[in-house]
């Protein structure tokens, strides 16, 4: 699988997890809510890093 495809799948999954956590925050138990929020924040931060990194390396021809 292409590394760019893997990055896009991860970015979509991270933002989807964040959206689900925000929408269902009232139904999650408090301990699970805190852990899931920390994990989703870390995944979304890494997804932003991947987006910025792909923008910086967009013009390079390193294949």
């Amino acid at each position: 699988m292409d590394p760019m495809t893997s990055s896009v799948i991860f970015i979509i999954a991270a933002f989807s997890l964040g959206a689900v956590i925000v929408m269902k925050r009232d139904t999650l138990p408090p301990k699970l809510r805190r852990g899931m929020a920390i994990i989703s924040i870390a995944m979304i931060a890494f997804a932003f890093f991947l987006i910025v990194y792909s923008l910086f390396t967009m013009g390079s021809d390193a294949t």
Side-chain angles (χ1 to χ4, degrees):
M1 189 182 307
D2 183 31
M4 186 63 183
T5 306
S6 300
S7 297
V8 170
I9 291 171
F10 175 77
I11 290 167
I12 291 170
F15 282 110
S16 298
L17 175 65
V20 168
I21 296 292
V22 168
M23 288 188 285
K24 296 292 184 179
R25 67 179 176 260
D26 296 331
T27 59
L28 294 172
K31 285 190 140 188
L32 182 65
R33 185 183 326 155
R34 179 173 296 208
M36 293 286 285
I38 290 171
I39 290 170
S40 65
I41 287 171
M43 288 177 67
I44 290 171
F46 187 65
F48 273 121
F49 168 75
L50 286 176
I51 291 169
V52 171
Y53 179 74
S54 68
L55 289 174
F56 277 125
T57 60
M58 192 180 300
S60 68
D61 190 26
T63 54

